[in-house]
Amino acid sequence: MFANVLTAAILGLDVCPIRVEADVSDGLPSFTMVGFPSAQVREAQDRVRTSFRNNGISLPPKRVTVNFSPADIRKEGAGYDLPVAAAVLAASGILDPGLLKKVMMIGELSLNGDVRPVSGVLPIIIKARELKCRFCIIPKGNLAEARLLKDMPVIGVENLKEMITALLSPQFEESKDIEVVDGTCEAKKTETVDFEEVYGQVATRRATEIAVSGFHNILYIGSPGAGKTMMAKRIPTIMPQMTFEEEVEVTRIYSIAGLLSPKFPLIRNRPFRNPHHTSTPKSLSGGGMIPTPGEITLAHRGVLFLDEMAEFSRECLETLRQPLEDKKIQISRAGKTYVFPADFLLVAAINPCPCGYYPDMNRCRCSVREVTQYLRKISQPLLDRIDICTEVAEVDLQQIKQKEKGETSQEIRKRVEIARQIQSDRFKKETIRFNAQLIGREIEKYCPMTKEAEKLLDLAYEKMKFSMRSYHKILKVARTIADLEQKDMIESNHISEALNYKTIDKKYWN
């Protein structure tokens, strides 16, 4: 007898429907799996047979063949256990094969028949909705995640018997014995840090506000303990709250990565990723035969913070160049290209030299060669992709003792939201959302300057020998500064401030 049921494979961020086919026929008793299964998937036959035995289900002594279609896609993970079990039960005559029509299943089986949670459930439920499936059967531990989609019937099961009951019961959608958790009910997490805790650092706070307003990448340069990391960790507190569409988009990425909370899976705070400087290029970009999201993708719609940027390997840093430019990262594996979103705000911190005190020669003990070698770990093409560079000065003792609190994150966020709204209105007919994303003719169209501002920028371009990319970066930062002041035209003072953020790096890298 033949039976089949739907499941899905995660390929990068894409979901490919997989049909699990089972055939039980006369012949020597055996259990064969075909269709490009990995070693993990092949182990499903032992888990399925053992769970059947431990739940009092006896398979006939026949030849069992399970096929995963399409066969040219490699099947990874333990999420195929539950659909394999359902297909084999139907092919053996224990279940009616018609019960499995337009049903999507995923889940891992333990040897006693319990159904364990798996990663990637949310995108699979989205795919089931696109395929107009009747319902989905998933592990109960993933039920809160699946319930983020209100218009797709899902049922969470704890064990093999509940799966069989759900298929046999025509009123499974109204079943009250399975707890339904609303994964959207979690309140936004209370911020544990605030900008008012930052003493002094007026210039750095201003540069940070501009960076967040226009989504400009920013680099902090300063001695150890000056407050670079402290500033970076507070950036999410001044970023506008994500829309529901953005929350679902980020949650989908974290679902595939297996990083969701079982009870409250909806991610409501903007991501803040802080990889260690010993991270490998694969951990940043995404690794594996079928790549999973790396730190670059996990920072999507949020912040990617590289502390001690010069300590990262050159290969890691160069990995950032494509996503910073294209807002996506492409990874090629065995003739297939996987595309991951990478629309993040890059925040980097660096010491000016190995000891951290250059150019204060009273404390710096590094030679000119050591300083040069240290800073040259960051290539010029990567520097050109950083819009704002600001020095983080040490806070003097008097400012610490006075304990004067600065503006709160909420006050700064209000100004950021106004600047973001101006950009939203300006670009409503464009595909971009922020000033930092302006390119080519868009810059000429949306960055009008006064004659004085144009003259100042032309003079700086000639004297400072800027690249064309740097020229455009200055214009885009000036556009954001003008937006914060709610000005239509870019004035000379806006250009002057933007130039200051672009010339600081030349102080160290020239």
Side-chain angles (χ1 to χ4, degrees):
M1 184 180 283
F2 171 82
N4 68 87
V5 66
L6 276 175
T7 186
I10 303 292
L11 305 176
L13 289 186
D14 296 327
V15 178
C16 178
I18 301 294
R19 190 167 295 278
V20 180
E21 303 171 338
D23 179 78
V24 178
S25 58
D26 294 334
L28 292 175
S30 64
F31 200 124
T32 306
M33 304 184 77
V34 295
F36 207 180
S38 67
Q40 290 174 313
V41 178
R42 288 186 186 279
E43 292 169 354
Q45 57 183 293
D46 296 318
R47 291 191 292 270
V48 169
R49 285 189 299 189
T50 306
S51 64
F52 282 169
R53 186 176 64 251
N54 288 333
N55 282 270
I57 300 173
S58 299
L59 291 179
K62 294 186 177 184
R63 177 183 178 85
V64 178
T65 304
V66 175
N67 177 49
F68 301 95
S69 177
D72 61 338
I73 296 175
R74 184 175 176 82
K75 318 306 184 300
E76 298 274 1
Y80 296 94
D81 293 6
L82 198 61
V84 167
V88 170
L89 287 173
S92 301
I94 298 174
L95 290 176
D96 180 0
L99 297 175
L100 303 180
K101 186 177 180 181
K102 297 190 76 66
V103 174
M104 180 78 79
M105 285 191 188
I106 185 172
E108 177 185 349
L109 278 175
S110 65
L111 297 182
N112 66 350
D114 289 342
V115 180
R116 294 172 176 168
V118 294
S119 60
V121 166
L122 180 60
I124 290 175
I125 299 298
I126 294 174
K127 176 58 71 173
R129 181 178 62 181
E130 294 174 1
L131 296 174
K132 302 187 184 306
C133 291
R134 293 190 294 129
F135 60 91
C136 298
I137 295 181
I138 62 171
K140 187 176 180 181
N142 294 117
L143 191 56
E145 177 184 347
R147 289 291 183 182
L148 294 176
L149 296 180
K150 302 294 185 181
D151 55 349
M152 184 64 213
V154 293
I155 185 167
V157 297
E158 286 187 321
N159 51 55
L160 192 60
K161 289 183 177 180
E162 282 191 2
M163 183 268 286
I164 297 172
T165 302
L167 287 171
L168 293 174
S169 172
Q171 290 83 26
F172 76 93
E173 293 181 45
E174 289 76 30
S175 177
K176 302 300 181 183
D177 59 332
I178 297 176
E179 179 187 5
V180 175
V181 182
D182 185 358
T184 65
C185 65
E186 182 190 27
K188 188 176 184 293
K189 293 180 181 177
T190 304
E191 304 291 359
T192 57
V193 294
D194 197 284
F195 260 91
E196 69 175 358
E197 301 163 347
V198 180
Y199 299 143
Q201 305 291 8
V202 177
T204 308
R205 289 163 64 101
R206 167 69 173 174
T208 304
E209 181 180 336
I210 295 169
V212 174
S213 297
F215 220 69
H216 301 287
N217 302 315
I218 185 170
L219 173 64
Y220 297 126
I221 302 179
S223 57
K228 302 186 294 296
T229 303
M230 183 180 186
M231 193 78 66
K233 287 184 176 180
R234 283 154 179 76
I235 286 179
T237 67
I238 64 173
M239 299 179 80
Q241 188 171 350
M242 290 193 291
T243 62
F244 181 71
E245 290 74 18
E246 289 177 326
E247 291 174 350
V248 172
E249 182 183 16
V250 174
T251 301
R252 183 169 178 263
I253 293 171
Y254 278 68
S255 172
I256 293 172
L259 299 176
L260 292 183
S261 164
K263 190 174 183 181
F264 300 111
L266 184 65
I267 295 178
R268 309 197 67 185
N269 287 330
R270 292 194 179 272
F272 181 85
R273 305 299 299 182
N274 183 12
H276 194 261
H277 64 261
T278 58
S279 299
T280 64
K282 284 187 177 181
S283 69
L284 289 178
S285 61
M289 182 173 292
I290 297 179
T292 54
E295 293 291 341
I296 288 174
T297 302
L298 293 174
H300 183 62
R301 302 297 185 196
V303 175
L304 178 64
F305 177 47
L306 302 185
D307 201 4
E308 304 295 344
M309 189 180 188
E311 299 297 336
F312 283 80
S313 70
R314 184 69 175 261
E315 190 178 357
C316 277
L317 295 180
E318 294 305 303
T319 300
L320 295 169
R321 286 170 59 176
Q322 183 205 11
L324 286 176
E325 198 73 23
D326 302 333
K327 301 303 179 184
K328 62 183 179 182
I329 183 166
Q330 296 180 339
I331 302 173
S332 297
R333 292 285 188 277
K336 182 173 176 60
T337 299
Y338 301 88
V339 180
F340 294 91
D343 191 1
F344 59 87
L345 178 66
L346 176 64
V347 180
I350 186 175
N351 294 332
C353 67
C355 76
Y357 296 107
Y358 179 82
D360 184 356
M361 304 314 294
N362 292 323
R363 291 192 292 173
C364 182
R365 295 293 180 265
C366 303
S367 65
V368 174
R369 181 180 178 183
E370 288 174 330
V371 174
T372 303
Q373 288 180 338
Y374 183 77
L375 294 177
R376 281 185 178 176
K377 291 180 180 180
I378 304 175
S379 67
Q380 190 60 46
L382 182 57
L383 277 175
D384 280 348
R385 286 168 170 79
I386 296 176
D387 304 7
I388 296 175
C389 183
T390 181
E391 289 183 293
V392 183
E394 293 182 330
V395 181
D396 59 46
L397 183 60
Q398 194 62 30
Q399 288 177 312
I400 298 174
K401 284 189 173 183
Q402 287 177 352
K403 296 184 179 179
E404 292 185 3
K405 292 185 176 181
E407 288 183 299
T408 64
S409 293
Q410 186 176 4
E411 291 172 328
I412 300 173
R413 179 185 282 172
K414 289 180 180 178
R415 294 196 298 270
V416 170
E417 288 175 342
I418 292 173
R420 289 280 185 94
Q421 186 59 49
I422 291 173
Q423 293 170 73
S424 178
D425 294 340
R426 177 188 300 131
F427 303 135
K428 60 185 177 182
K429 295 183 179 180
E430 306 287 350
T431 57
I432 60 175
R433 299 190 303 160
F434 307 112
N435 291 331
Q437 298 172 333
L438 287 166
I439 57 173
R441 294 180 180 179
E442 295 171 347
I443 296 177
E444 297 179 10
K445 181 179 180 181
Y446 295 113
C447 298
M449 292 182 284
T450 62
K451 290 184 178 180
E452 294 78 8
E454 187 174 359
K455 185 177 179 180
L456 176 60
L457 183 55
D458 291 346
L459 181 63
Y461 181 80
E462 293 294 334
K463 287 197 171 185
M464 301 299 293
K465 305 297 181 184
F466 287 123
S467 66
M468 182 57 71
R469 182 186 282 120
S470 296
Y471 178 89
H472 287 156
K473 293 286 187 186
I474 293 167
L475 258 180
K476 290 186 280 189
V477 172
R479 176 69 271 171
T480 300
I481 297 171
D483 288 342
L484 283 168
E485 296 181 7
Q486 302 182 39
K487 298 285 185 68
D488 293 330
M489 295 286 288
I490 297 174
E491 300 174 359
S492 56
N493 62 307
H494 305 146
I495 293 292
S496 178
E497 186 174 0
L499 280 169
N500 182 55
Y501 297 131
K502 199 59 190 172
T503 54
I504 288 177
D505 59 352
K506 288 188 174 292
K507 170 181 175 182
Y508 293 95
W509 276 273
N510 275 358

